[in-house]
Amino acid sequence: MFACLHGPGNLTPLAFEFSPAVEATSADTVTFDVSGLDRLFGLPQDVAAAIARRARECGVKASLALAANPDAAICAARGFPGVNLIPYGDEGKFLGALSLTVLAPSIELLETLERWGIRTFHQMAALPPLGIAERLGNEGLRLRELARGEAERKLLPIIEPLTFEDEIELEYPVELLEPLAFLLARLINGLATRLATRALATDELRLRLKLENRTTHRRTLCLPVPTLDTKAFLKLLQLDLEANPPSAPVLHLWMGVNPVKPQTAQTGLFVPVAPEPVKLELTLARIQALVGEGRVGTPELLDTHRPDAFRVNQWGRSPAVITRQVVEQPRLALRIFRPARAARVALAAGQPSFVMADGVRGKVLDLAGPWRTSGDWWTPDAWQRDEWDIALSDCALYRLYCAPRGWFVEGTYD
Amino acid sequence: MGAAVLKKQFESVLGGARDWQYRPEPELVPTGVAEVDSATGGLPRGCLTEIVGPASSGRTSLLLSILAAATARQEFCALVDAEDAFAPHSAAGAGVQLSRLLWVRCGHSAEHALKAADLLIQGGGFGMVVMDLGDTAPQTARRISLTSWFRLRRAVEHTPTVLLSIARQPNAKTCASLVIECVRNAENWSGARHTSRLLRGFDVRAQSLKSSMKRRSLCSPVFTARAI
């Protein structure tokens, strides 16, 4: 059983109140499947009455028709005002009086039928199918089927955009993170269940908290791989909110997730084990809470000659670059002092002879340098320095440099 | 029935006396330095290894070789840097694949380093976890209780992870399965002073102070860390 609403007004939401399968047939017509509503309302006329009643409540002035197939319902709704119920098998008889213009055929076809004196559904339905096929082709046959109320087709339902969002309005503001965690768990579990029913996972979770001081606190969690691990999400959110607490008590919670397909990659038998992504994300969040934000990740060298230029990327966010560089011999490593230690340097013949800095003190026994380097002189952040490799009497090898701001010990060779 | 009787019955069935205390030797992974590998056999998985030595003794050069070898095996490594002393340029030059290295900068806190290393080992999945206490003051490193080291050893036991610690002096005592002490022999300079002098590197003697593995004698191989 199908229903069709035709008329002005917002018909789609009204149709969705009765069925999830709604077709937007045209701007002023919606068709929807009402099979199964008899269990709720009773006979088809009761279903029609319920829809008409709801339409009146919504202020929608539309004609309604119920029929066994969608096209018969559409024709009846477009052709007859008020509520019409077409009995099964009597579609042709019921629609017979309607004008062919209801079917909106092409102008050429309508002119041809006018010349033949065919103006109503009844007249069209009476024509022999073979003759129509010979003279009017497929379009003519289709018109005949519609006129007889025998056209069978599937609905083309509107697919609702998948939005996974949820919110909670609170009667009293929540001040502490612990009670907030219970509300967060409720939101996360609800969203995870909705995702799971559609075989989806998420790699991004957005949280918006409306606060008592009329500001909004926004947090976004990104995971390297899609998952549905609600416990991990809750713990990550807790750690994140502990590190970045809202500035006032919370009045309203909104949570949205990004629906994506779950990860289906399979690793090889002989590939070395890698940390489990979600577990690692939790571990990193815990470590980050310990050492501070931005202090955990993968180092990446910057494309510059500036000494010690690097940035720390989030683990798993940058693609793994596999380089096959083979270094046969161990390379001399440098350990950096961060920040570089300011030094007092005694010079002899323009070369350092004695160095004194925090934890560094000694006579220069051997040295190499200076190596003059500079860069970024075309920017406000220009740099220049003279470098020395020095062996001090304290039995260590250092890198020493002289910059416009003074002398510094950059690190030790180790 | 006593355990001794059971043992005897098993031995009679299996035909001969058995070593009931036998524990399989851990898998050894190469360090990337042929001299050290041939002498020590490599670093044991599931065990704590200490690399100790004063500043400029070659500890970090050895560490970077170990990390380069591990990342070349496609393993993921974690470096817990207590004093924020890691130089990514130096590591890249030594062949370490930085994209496979997780760097935790503890901001001059040995306590944070200890906790971070513990969390990483508990999380699992890393081929190597390195705790760099190389610039931590000896008195601070000594303050780390033996219980903490024991906890780390127990955490890494029965896992395929190599736990490595770099420090100025041995701290883990009985918890370490292998202790390698680095001593700088001589630095190599080239060219005349004031003109074209260059630091070419230095020779490092890596003394194996302790090895719990059978059939491995204590040794002191020498390798050269080259600057260029």
Side-chain angles (χ1 to χ4, degrees), chain A residues 271-351:
Chain A
V271 175
V273 287
E276 204 264 301
V278 179
K279 203 172 173 185
L280 180 66
E281 198 71 15
L282 249 170
T283 307
L284 295 186
R286 284 192 175 116
I287 294 174
Q288 204 147 286
L290 203 67
V291 299
E293 211 159 324
R295 301 190 68 84
V296 184
T298 310
E300 185 193 352
L301 303 182
L302 299 180
D303 187 16
T304 169
H305 290 288
R306 182 188 289 270
D308 200 27
F310 66 90
R311 70 166 156 248
V312 178
N313 295 325
Q314 273 189 300
W315 176 267
R317 298 293 189 273
S318 52
V321 183
I322 297 170
T323 49
R324 298 285 176 195
Q325 185 188 1
V326 178
V327 180
E328 297 292 337
Q329 283 281 341
R331 296 291 289 269
L332 187 59
L334 184 69
R335 294 180 71 87
I336 304 276
F337 296 146
R338 291 192 182 94
R341 294 180 187 174
R344 291 172 67 189
V345 177
L347 297 175
Q351 297 279 33

Side-chain angles (χ1 to χ4, degrees), chain A residues 170-390:
Chain A
L170 303 176
E171 289 181 18
Y172 301 99
V174 175
E175 290 179 14
L176 300 172
L177 288 179
E178 200 180 333
L180 192 67
F182 286 98
L183 299 168
L184 293 174
R186 196 174 127 195
L187 287 175
I188 291 170
N189 287 334
L191 289 171
T193 311
R194 280 165 60 189
L195 285 169
T197 53
R198 287 169 175 81
L200 292 170
T202 184
D203 60 352
E204 190 183 278
L205 192 145
R206 296 177 298 276
L207 178 70
R208 219 158 50 208
L209 304 174
K210 280 185 189 165
L211 308 180
E212 207 177 31
N213 59 6
R214 299 189 176 189
T215 58
T216 307
H217 187 70
R218 287 187 172 85
R219 301 302 305 162
T220 303
L221 282 183
C222 293
L223 285 176
V225 290
T227 181
L228 270 181
D229 191 340
T230 51
K231 281 184 185 170
F233 271 132
L234 182 62
K235 193 69 203 168
L236 283 170
L237 263 183
Q238 274 181 293
L239 287 167
D240 187 68
L241 287 174
E242 275 170 20
N244 308 281
S247 57
V250 179
L251 279 172
H252 179 267
L253 294 93
W254 176 94
M255 191 180 282
V257 294
N258 186 29
V260 287
K261 284 186 177 173
Q263 197 188 30
T264 52
Q266 188 177 5
T267 54
L269 272 177
F270 304 105
V271 175
V273 287
E276 204 264 301
V278 179
K279 203 172 173 185
L280 180 66
E281 198 71 15
L282 249 170
T283 307
L284 295 186
R286 284 192 175 116
I287 294 174
Q288 204 147 286
L290 203 67
V291 299
E293 211 159 324
R295 301 190 68 84
V296 184
T298 310
E300 185 193 352
L301 303 182
L302 299 180
D303 187 16
T304 169
H305 290 288
R306 182 188 289 270
D308 200 27
F310 66 90
R311 70 166 156 248
V312 178
N313 295 325
Q314 273 189 300
W315 176 267
R317 298 293 189 273
S318 52
V321 183
I322 297 170
T323 49
R324 298 285 176 195
Q325 185 188 1
V326 178
V327 180
E328 297 292 337
Q329 283 281 341
R331 296 291 289 269
L332 187 59
L334 184 69
R335 294 180 71 87
I336 304 276
F337 296 146
R338 291 192 182 94
R341 294 180 187 174
R344 291 172 67 189
V345 177
L347 297 175
Q351 297 279 33
S353 61
F354 194 88
V355 178
M356 203 161 60
D358 179 23
V360 179
R361 184 189 169 93
K363 193 180 164 194
V364 178
L365 301 179
D366 213 336
L367 60 82
W371 318 114
R372 180 158 290 179
T373 51
S374 65
D376 295 335
W377 45 264
W378 56 92
T379 70
D381 196 19
W383 58 273
Q384 58 171 327
R385 58 200 278 180
D386 290 348
E387 280 179 14
W388 280 266
D389 296 330
I390 55 170

Side-chain angles (χ1 to χ4, degrees), chain A residues 96-110:
Chain A
L98 285 177
S99 165
L100 276 181
T101 50
V102 171
L103 295 175
S106 61
I107 296 165
E108 295 83 21
L109 187 60
L110 195 63

Side-chain angles (χ1 to χ4, degrees), chain B residues 30-106:
Chain B
T31 60
V33 183
E35 294 86 351
V36 177
D37 281 342
S38 60
T40 63
L43 305 175
R45 285 196 192 272
C47 298
L48 169 63
T49 300
E50 282 194 290
I51 298 175
V52 297
S56 300
S57 59
R59 305 161 298 174
T60 314
S61 300
L62 180 57
L63 167 68
L64 293 187
S65 290
I66 292 167
L67 285 174
T71 53
R73 291 192 300 270
Q74 307 296 306
E75 287 182 6
F76 289 98
C77 302
L79 173 68
V80 183
D81 192 358
E83 295 297 324
D84 211 355
F86 177 67
H89 282 85
S90 200
V96 178
Q97 289 178 24
L98 295 179
S99 59
R100 291 191 165 268
L101 181 71
L102 176 73
W103 182 21
V104 181
R105 304 167 70 188
C106 296

